[in-house]
């Protein structure tokens, strides 16, 4: 820097054109440098779905009588920075929603 090969003006122009997800830009903006980008979140989501699919195929083998127990362990989501992991016994679905709202569901 500061030479004929790379002047200070050229260096400033290069810094100004860095992508928004670069470490330099995130450090200057005060964001967490370890934060994931959108493409990393999408890749982790794809891995989660593939693990779930494998587990469901294992459950299908058990249901069809081809296996005594599911050969694939129950999947857990890929840990993501800045995203709080759900508790394993946390209820989901319509019945859990109705219970949280204080309603007794009509369907059992």
């Amino acid at each position: 820097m500061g030479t004929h090969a790379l002047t200070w003006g050229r260096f400033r122009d290069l810094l100004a054109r860095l992508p928004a997800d670069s470490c330099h830009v995130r450090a200057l903006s005060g964001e967490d440098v370890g934060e994931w980008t959108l493409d990393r979140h999408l890749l982790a989501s794809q891995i989660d779905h593939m693990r779930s699919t494998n587990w469901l195929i294992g459950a299908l083998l058990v249901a069809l009588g081809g296996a005594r127990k599911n050969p694939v362990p129950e999947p857990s989501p890929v840990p993501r920075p800045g995203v709080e992991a759900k508790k394993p016994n946390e209820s989901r679905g319509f019945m859990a929603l109705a219970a949280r709202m204080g309603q007794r569901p009509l369907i059992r």
Side-chain angles (χ1 to χ4, degrees):
M1 291 186 301
T3 64
H4 183 57
L6 181 61
T7 63
W8 286 105
R10 175 76 177 138
F11 180 68
R12 182 193 68 231
D13 291 342
L14 289 173
L15 284 179
R17 288 179 175 77
L18 284 173
D21 63 342
S22 70
C23 288
H24 177 74
V25 172
R26 285 187 293 168
L28 287 179
S29 68
E31 291 182 25
D32 184 14
V33 177
E35 195 173 317
W36 281 13
T37 57
L38 176 62
D39 58 340
R40 290 185 183 183
H41 278 285
L42 291 173
L43 183 59
S45 176
Q46 185 177 15
I47 291 170
D48 289 343
H49 288 294
M50 288 183 350
R51 286 179 179 174
S52 297
T53 302
N54 289 341
W55 183 70
L56 288 172
I57 290 172
L60 182 63
L61 287 174
V62 173
L64 295 177
R68 291 185 188 165
K69 69 174 199 157
N70 194 338
V72 182
E74 189 169 353
S76 59
V78 173
R80 294 162 174 83
V83 177
E84 189 175 322
K86 289 184 180 177
K87 297 174 186 163
N89 60 359
E90 184 177 311
S91 317
R92 295 184 304 194
F94 176 73
M95 303 291 267
L97 177 63
R100 278 197 304 262
M101 297 183 76
Q103 300 294 319
R104 211 178 73 200
L106 299 174
I107 304 170
R108 287 231 174 217

